Amino acid sequence: MGRSRVQGKHAGLTRDQVLRAAVRLADRDGVEALSMRKLARELDVEAMTLYHHVRNKQGLEDAIVEYVLAESLRPPPEPAGWQEVVAGHAADLHRGLTQHPGAVLLFATRTAVTPRTLAILEQSLRVLRDAGFAPRTALHLIYAVAGAVVGQHLAYAGEQAQPAVDAPAVGDDHPVLAAALADGPVTMESRLDFTLTTLIAGFEALRQGGGSR
Amino acid sequence: MGRSRVQGKHAGLTRDQVLRAAVRLADRDGVEALSMRKLARELDVEAMTLYHHVRNKQGLEDAIVEYVLAESLRPPPEPAGWQEVVAGHAADLHRGLTQHPGAVLLFATRTAVTPRTLAILEQSLRVLRDAGFAPRTALHLIYAVAGAVVGQHLAYAGEQAQPAVDAPAVGDDHPVLAAALADGPVTMESRLDFTLTTLIAGFEALRQGGGSR
DNA sequence: ACCTGAACACCGTTCAAGT
DNA sequence: ACCTGAACACCGTTCAAGT
């Protein structure tokens, strides 16, 4: 706290400082609590100062997504099997969203298309094509995996605020549901794991059915 | 729009009218434009009046989700194969979100656990269990499908506001990506279709691998 | 170049008051 | 019982002004 500064002098504020503070604030208090004014207060600066580093709030949110994505995404290892690439992508994204829960909702509502993400996407697509998938199928596959990871994080975030479906809430009228929950509530980790395993098994079946090599 | 009414008399406003107007407003102008004050104006009523029908804005949003879900979800046909149940659920949800784009973001952030949704969930789980899936696997499956549908709608909504990844944006540095997009941009429909097909293929593989019958 | 302060048009929600 | 109006504590953003 408390970057000391003479009134009316340069704060020496950089865009990177703004973004880091924004991510920290969103992670700590939730995205819905992220406001230009609160962020400014955090940085010991007037709200309007932020507009010098960011076009507007939209732009701030876009930048947060790029920031977290850049921090999370790693190029696929070379050489890699396609399952590794897919699972690796999912793991990267999962780790990023786990470390930055404040970014989850932002990830869900915008796509960060930057040179870096395009380059990583291209590399991943190449591996998948070499494994026998048609380029378009490979792209679909990446979308499906990304969607699954973000989707499960969103659902998880929703359940934090709201009671989830668990055994006590279910009662005796729903025996199969009760049986499903007998071993405890279904966690995000297990749901994500299940979805990814299932997707990869499905991909495999489709590839054998008829990829374009 | 003028529901005419004498000042200070009963407006005769019902909760159902409030919800219908809220859904209409969110679908027309987007969720981010949905405010208590604007909704009140739409209903020719003072903002505070709404608090008589709804606890607060959170409560309004919860009610919207329940409303749209109730309108969309149908019980699975009996008798039905498990693929039908899964695809049917996805189709119901997809139709509901297509008709009510204003509800997409709300669906992503909360889970509407009502007697009706629990009952439909139980019916679906029963079909899946009878098809050879363990109850917990069946629940995972439903979650995965719901997540996929909501996820693709979210991504689609994001792309409406923001340029998607398409061929012109990609250029020559990304040949595989360019090839993937050569037949036009990847639509939400095709992504959703791909994800569901893949999930079902994966489920099938898992069932044969070792369900608990 | 970088930062500020007042101002504008909004929010959700409380509370006491009206009919 | 149902609805209102003023008030409070917030928003994002523009604009002219300060150093």
Side-chain angles (χ1 to χ4, degrees), chain B residues 35-37 48 51 57:
Chain B
S35 77
M36 299 298 275
R37 294 170 115 113
M48 292 312 99
Y51 286 80
K57 203 191 178 189

Side-chain angles (χ1 to χ4, degrees), chain A:
Chain A
M1 296 274 140
R3 301 157 62 260
S4 69
R5 177 176 52 85
V6 182
Q7 276 279 354
K9 295 290 184 207
H10 288 198
L13 193 62
T14 61
R15 182 179 156 94
D16 201 67
Q17 280 171 46
V18 171
L19 292 184
R20 286 222 307 273
V23 171
R24 195 157 42 88
L25 179 55
D27 287 342
R28 186 179 7 105
D29 300 348
V31 232
E32 65 287 345
L34 174 65
S35 78
M36 299 299 275
R37 294 169 115 113
K38 221 177 286 181
L39 176 57
R41 226 174 292 141
E42 203 91 353
L43 286 163
D44 199 17
V45 116
E46 220 50 35
M48 293 311 98
T49 302
L50 300 176
Y51 285 80
H52 209 266
H53 299 93
V54 132
R55 177 190 293 277
N56 51 24
K57 203 189 177 187
Q58 265 271 23
L60 176 66
E61 294 176 348
D62 292 346
I64 290 177
V65 172
E66 284 175 30
Y67 185 95
V68 171
L69 202 59
E71 192 186 291
S72 313
L73 231 52
R74 306 183 165 286
E78 310 223 41
W82 69 268
Q83 294 94 337
E84 276 180 85
V85 170
V86 171
H89 260 313
D92 288 348
L93 202 51
H94 176 55
R95 183 168 25 80
L97 294 180
T98 302
Q99 275 166 10
H100 299 293
V104 171
L105 202 57
L106 303 179
F107 265 74
T109 46
R110 62 239 312 137
T111 14
V113 179
T114 65
R116 184 157 188 277
T117 57
L118 280 182
I120 293 182
L121 181 56
E122 174 71 13
Q123 282 181 269
S124 304
L125 289 176
R126 197 160 47 225
V127 175
L128 291 168
R129 187 207 45 193
D130 293 346
F133 294 99
R136 204 172 177 81
T137 305
L139 184 58
H140 269 127
L141 195 156
I142 301 275
Y143 275 130
V145 169
V149 176
V150 174
Q152 296 305 336
H153 273 268
L154 266 176
Y156 176 73
E159 284 164 18
Q160 297 304 92
Q162 220 165 139
V165 181
D166 60 1
V170 165
D172 300 339
D173 312 348
H174 308 93
V176 187
L177 183 51
L181 295 169
D183 293 339
V186 175
T187 66
M188 172 180 65
E189 298 279 343
S190 74
R191 271 182 341 212
L192 186 53
D193 208 71
F194 178 88
T195 304
L196 292 176
T197 303
T198 306
L199 280 175
I200 289 180
F203 294 152
E204 182 61 34
L206 290 174
R207 187 175 69 97
Q208 305 210 339
S212 79
R213 187 191 261 282

